[in-house]
Amino acid sequence: DSSSCTQELPRSNFTNTQQLKGDKRRCKLCLAEPAPPEEAPQSAKTSALCLVFETERDGCVQGLRRKHDKQVDRWPAHINLLYPFVPKSGLGAAAGELAETLRNLPPFEIVLEVPQYFTHSKGDCTVWLDPRSEDGALAQLHTLCAGCFPRCAKDPWIPHLTIAQLPNPKRAQALVDSVGRGWSPVTCLVKEVWLLERTDTQSAFRMAWTVALGTGARTCLLYTSPSPRDS
């Protein structure tokens, strides 16, 4: 009977101090609309799908990041494909889906060109290296990944490898000019995508999975945690 209530609830949840079966003075929780079920988050800042580079081995990229990038201890040298990405609990399944999608896309090279910078809404700036690839291979990779996880995709997507955060455009332009004068383009082979995870937004990312281009081979790295600053 919709007019009856026999729930044992705290006194503060009732319209009066009595609890009587059949009484029209029903509990407030029964009168309220039922709460909708909670939906699982579609993306999380504790995971990322990206390209990770070892260009820091010769010191040029990582040297700049150590001087100017406040995220150097949290992120490796990288280009984000999708961030935020699926929650950590879904990374294994995501790696499986990417394996099917990327098995027919062969590895390709990108060239890290001279730096540029973004100006954000608060006036601060991000300085970044511009990745270029022949025949639109990098854009094709992003399109395939975004097709797998459309709710994680951003439009427009501007591929970039961050090397610095600076407080204003004047300082950003000065760094762009300084680095650009002596910059030699860096060529990198893209042979896999990386799925990263971290405990929270203040902690460092660790490598969780890789998925190889051209074969779709998956590797789980959950039991290793290389430092982003390793060179």
Side-chain angles (χ1 to χ4, degrees):
D1 186 341
S2 62
S3 65
S4 64
C5 177
T6 57
Q7 296 187 51
E8 293 294 335
L9 296 170
R11 182 184 297 263
S12 60
N13 285 324
F14 285 82
T15 55
N16 64 31
T17 60
Q18 293 182 333
Q19 180 186 5
L20 299 174
K21 186 175 182 179
D23 196 330
K24 293 182 180 179
R25 292 165 294 186
R26 291 177 287 155
C27 76
K28 293 178 180 178
L29 293 186
C30 289
L31 288 168
E33 291 292 329
E38 292 187 4
E39 294 185 0
Q42 299 296 331
S43 62
K45 290 186 176 181
T46 51
S47 61
L49 175 64
C50 59
L51 306 178
V52 174
F53 300 98
E54 297 182 350
T55 56
E56 60 266 38
R57 291 189 183 279
D58 64 7
C60 62
V61 174
Q62 196 70 343
L64 289 168
R65 295 186 70 230
R66 285 174 177 160
K67 290 180 181 178
H68 306 290
D69 187 357
K70 64 183 179 182
Q71 299 291 339
V72 68
D73 290 322
R74 297 177 184 173
W75 287 88
H78 71 285
I79 296 172
N80 276 326
L81 295 168
L82 299 175
Y83 175 77
F85 193 44
V86 300
K88 293 190 296 180
S89 60
L91 287 181
E97 188 166 352
L98 288 165
E100 292 297 320
T101 301
L102 302 180
R103 67 173 63 252
N104 295 319
L105 179 67
F108 59 91
E109 289 186 344
I110 66 169
V111 178
L112 300 175
E113 299 283 0
V114 294
Q116 303 184 40
Y117 72 89
F118 300 125
T119 300
H120 302 288
S121 59
K122 295 183 179 180
D124 56 322
C125 300
T126 294
V127 181
W128 48 282
L129 299 177
D130 184 12
R132 303 289 181 89
S133 63
E134 292 186 0
D135 302 323
L138 182 57
Q140 182 183 4
L141 172 60
H142 174 258
T143 298
L144 290 171
C145 294
C148 288
F149 310 99
R151 295 189 180 184
C152 300
K154 293 182 178 179
D155 185 23
W157 173 69
I158 302 176
H160 61 282
L161 193 159
T162 297
I163 59 172
Q165 293 90 20
L166 293 169
N168 55 63
K170 182 177 180 179
R171 290 187 57 183
Q173 186 63 57
L175 181 62
V176 166
D177 293 342
S178 174
V179 173
R181 280 193 294 270
W183 184 255
S184 296
V186 178
T187 300
C188 308
L189 177 63
V190 176
K191 58 183 180 180
E192 58 200 356
V193 297
W194 294 74
L195 289 74
L196 308 185
E197 68 165 40
R198 59 181 171 179
T199 303
D200 54 55
T201 56
Q202 302 304 309
S203 59
F205 275 104
R206 64 175 185 169
M207 318 305 186
W209 291 84
T210 63
V211 178
L213 303 188
T215 66
R218 289 173 288 167
T219 303
C220 180
L221 303 171
L222 289 173
Y223 301 105
T224 62
S225 183
S227 167
R229 299 187 66 173
D230 287 348
S231 61

